[in-house]
Amino acid sequence: QVQLVESGGGSVQAGGSLKLSCGASGFMFSGCRMGWYRQAPGKERELVSNITTGGATTYTDSVKGRFTISRDNAKNMLYLQMNSLKTEDTAVYYCAACYSVRKSTYNYWGQGTQVTVSS
């Protein structure tokens, strides 16, 4: 079955860095668009970044220039390098796999990893 397992979350001071990882199995990773979402307390889940099968990337405005999404198809791994972290980046971060144009959402989701940024 499909599994997405995030890791790398934790607590960091503002200005610091974290790198999130997502290990994928149970589907053709190289053939899927992948993404990172986040959900802060009391807020709706928001898209942070996407990466296509060809490596094209998009970012939400608030993280542009600070976060970098990448993928390693040989290892079935998705990454999110987060630099210059701000307190407003505090959220649970979710890995998402295989975007469905028909459903306008991703088919598979990880369990999430907590990122806490303190001032």
Side-chain angles (χ1 to χ4, degrees):
Q1 72 277 22
V2 171
Q3 281 194 312
L4 296 171
V5 181
E6 301 101 332
S7 61
S11 297
V12 65
Q13 287 194 322
S17 298
L18 284 174
K19 184 174 184 177
L20 304 184
S21 300
C22 174
S25 61
F27 64 98
M28 187 178 292
F29 179 84
S30 61
C32 279
R33 186 197 299 187
M34 301 292 294
W36 286 100
Y37 281 72
R38 66 186 179 186
Q39 187 166 20
K43 295 188 177 181
E44 292 188 355
R45 184 176 60 188
E46 67 167 345
L47 174 65
V48 175
S49 181
N50 277 326
I51 185 166
T52 69
T53 57
T57 59
T58 61
Y59 299 91
T60 191
D61 286 346
S62 63
V63 308
K64 285 180 180 177
R66 300 188 299 120
F67 289 12
T68 303
I69 190 172
S70 62
R71 64 192 298 163
D72 186 337
N73 290 337
K75 297 181 179 179
N76 285 3
M77 293 293 294
L78 178 72
Y79 305 101
L80 186 68
Q81 177 68 48
M82 306 186 295
N83 298 329
S84 302
L85 282 161
K86 303 176 180 181
T87 55
E88 52 263 45
D89 295 318
T90 295
V92 178
Y93 284 71
Y94 297 91
C95 173
C98 303
Y99 186 80
S100 169
V101 173
R102 180 177 64 84
K103 295 189 292 184
S104 297
T105 188
Y106 281 87
N107 284 325
Y108 310 116
W109 296 86
Q111 81 288 352
T113 186
Q114 177 70 48
V115 172
T116 303
V117 184
S118 59
S119 58

